[in-house]
Amino acid sequence: MLTVVKVGGGLTRVAGDDALRAVGAQISAAAARHPLLVVPGGGEFADTVRRYDDRVGLGPRAAHWMAILAMDQFGWALAELIPGATRRTDLGPVRAGTASVLLPGAVLAERDPLPASWAVTSDSIAAWVSGAAGAGRLVLVKPVAGLYRTWPPNGEPIAQLTVDELASLRLAGVDEHLPAALRAARVETWVIGGGAPERLVELLDRGRTCGTRVTAAT
């Protein structure tokens, strides 16, 4: 089963570059046994676009595509930080052996499937990629251990919720468009913490781990 793994660039802001390298090592190890397609977040590159947008007032489409190019930039970095990873620009078959890092700009430019808005970030893009690539699972690797009812996070994350509950609760930590993107993709989704990268391997090997599972239906 193909798993799409979105690695959020915010992980380095919270936990540092070593945490990102640790996640990369776990992805590399897991890819030897599981087909993995890695979708990069925007990271510091997208933060720069946001600041520029705030300063000069870009149009929604310009800001949207500049942020997508930021994902491509972070993707080049991830391909260096995940041992043995390869870069790709298409949604062709992915096989176990080495991780594939998607540079999403080309396929998004070809299909233009999502609204041009800051409500759409790499979370929703990863959900769309999951549906388009026929993935069975989407994993969002975040700086925190899952989704929380309160922010800043306190205690344990929500263990499970439906896409409808995700939409109604409007939880921090994921983008506003994600519930709609998940409904369209119809993919099991997990939100896990990059500070404990071994949880990704546990999820792939055992089908469960600590974090938040988002299901399509009640």
Side-chain angles (χ1 to χ4, degrees):
M1 179 177 67
L2 174 63
T3 297
V4 170
V5 181
K6 180 250 171 170
V7 180
L11 181 62
T12 58
R13 288 194 299 271
V14 174
D17 292 336
D18 287 346
L20 186 59
R21 292 182 183 278
V23 168
Q26 293 290 340
I27 289 173
S28 178
R33 304 184 300 279
H34 305 277
L36 298 184
L37 180 60
V38 178
V39 173
E44 298 173 42
F45 308 101
D47 292 342
T48 300
V49 176
R50 282 184 183 270
R51 289 193 296 269
Y52 191 75
D53 186 18
D54 289 341
R55 193 167 78 245
V56 306
L58 297 169
R61 190 161 182 81
H64 178 69
W65 285 102
M66 289 170 69
I68 288 171
L69 292 174
M71 293 174 64
D72 278 0
Q73 289 181 308
F74 188 48
W76 276 83
L78 282 179
E80 290 288 311
L81 297 171
I82 300 170
T86 59
R87 296 181 301 274
R88 65 186 304 160
T89 59
D90 63 84
L91 297 178
V94 177
R95 296 177 177 83
T98 60
S100 294
V101 177
L102 178 67
L103 307 181
V107 69
L108 291 172
E110 178 185 350
R111 305 193 191 187
D112 199 11
L114 296 164
S117 165
W118 281 116
V120 174
T121 70
S122 54
D123 292 337
S124 288
I125 290 171
W128 177 81
V129 167
S130 297
R137 182 189 294 121
L138 167 64
V139 183
L140 304 177
V141 181
K142 296 282 187 177
V144 295
L147 297 177
Y148 293 80
R149 295 186 184 276
T150 60
W151 198 267
N154 185 33
E156 295 297 319
I158 302 168
Q160 182 167 312
L161 72 167
T162 66
V163 171
D164 289 342
E165 289 170 332
L166 178 63
S168 64
L169 290 171
R170 293 180 172 269
L171 300 174
V174 293
D175 70 47
E176 295 176 31
H177 189 74
L178 182 61
L182 290 179
R183 288 190 188 105
R186 296 183 174 273
V187 62
E188 178 190 58
T189 302
W190 284 80
V191 182
I192 65 173
E198 68 278 1
R199 289 177 180 171
L200 175 61
V201 175
E202 181 180 50
L203 174 60
L204 294 170
D205 287 345
R206 301 182 182 181
R208 63 186 185 278
T209 191
C210 296
T212 301
R213 180 174 179 249
V214 183
T215 61
T218 56

